[in-house]
Amino acid sequence: MVKILLLNGPNLNRLGKREPAIYGHVTLAQLESTLKSKAEEDGYELLAAQSNHEGELIDIIHRCEDEGYGGIILNPGAFTHYSYALRDAVASVSVPVVEVHISNIHAREEFRHQSVVAAETVGQIVGFGLFGYELALKAIIKNIKGVEHDEN
């Protein structure tokens, strides 16, 4: 079974508690459980990790390539906007990465508009709330299968 990693960065462990007007009331554990079930329905194994530490996120991305993962769904959190080290980690692996954000980072404070990671990913999904993670899962599965466009 092909493995997909759901990797969340800083403060996403606070989902359900942190700024619920922006991020909602669903916890990270609930989100992970939902996505694991959806991945299994499509014949994939989804594993999840979260860290508030930049170096740990980088190590996890490197391990994904070493362990033969098919893809990564990545919400880099605040590292999105300034972590060239995280960007370089994504660039250093052949594992496809879809970047996801719960809020529309382009409609928020100006410092959030730029993603230094995005150029090294196969795509970016922003602003659809937690549903964005489901979209990211569909996108990474299509990428793994080599399907770029769905004509239906």
Side-chain angles (χ1 to χ4, degrees):
M1 187 176 286
V2 176
K3 296 184 288 187
I4 297 170
L5 179 69
L6 170 61
L7 183 57
N8 281 288
N11 299 310
L12 287 153
N13 58 309
R14 303 289 299 163
L15 279 179
K17 300 173 187 168
R18 172 188 175 209
E19 301 177 86
I22 296 173
Y23 301 107
H25 295 282
V26 174
T27 67
L28 182 59
Q30 291 168 323
L31 172 64
E32 291 170 351
S33 177
T34 298
L35 287 177
K36 285 178 184 183
S37 294
K38 291 188 179 298
E40 286 175 11
E41 289 171 10
D42 287 326
Y44 293 83
E45 180 182 9
L46 186 126
L47 295 104
Q50 185 279 328
S51 180
N52 294 317
H53 305 280
E54 184 178 33
E56 187 173 352
L57 294 169
I58 292 165
D59 289 343
I60 292 168
I61 290 168
H62 293 168
R63 276 198 304 273
C64 281
E65 175 147 273
D66 296 343
E67 295 175 9
Y69 278 68
I72 300 171
I73 299 167
L74 172 64
N75 184 337
F79 291 137
T80 300
H81 316 293
Y82 68 89
S83 177
Y84 294 105
L86 192 58
R87 176 242 175 251
D88 289 350
V90 171
S92 77
V93 298
S94 61
V95 180
V97 176
V98 171
E99 182 181 348
V100 64
H101 295 280
I102 297 166
S103 66
N104 181 349
I105 62 173
H106 307 289
R108 295 187 63 193
E109 302 93 335
E110 189 172 336
F111 74 89
R112 296 185 194 275
H113 295 183
Q114 175 68 30
S115 169
V116 300
V117 177
E120 300 304 327
T121 68
V122 296
Q124 183 188 64
I125 299 171
V126 304
F128 291 99
L130 296 182
F131 180 61
Y133 283 92
E134 292 182 39
L135 295 171
L137 179 61
K138 290 179 183 290
I140 203 68
I141 288 171
K142 280 192 168 215
N143 187 275
I144 291 167
K145 290 179 177 179
V147 178
E148 292 187 22
H149 302 287
D150 186 1
E151 295 185 18
N152 294 331

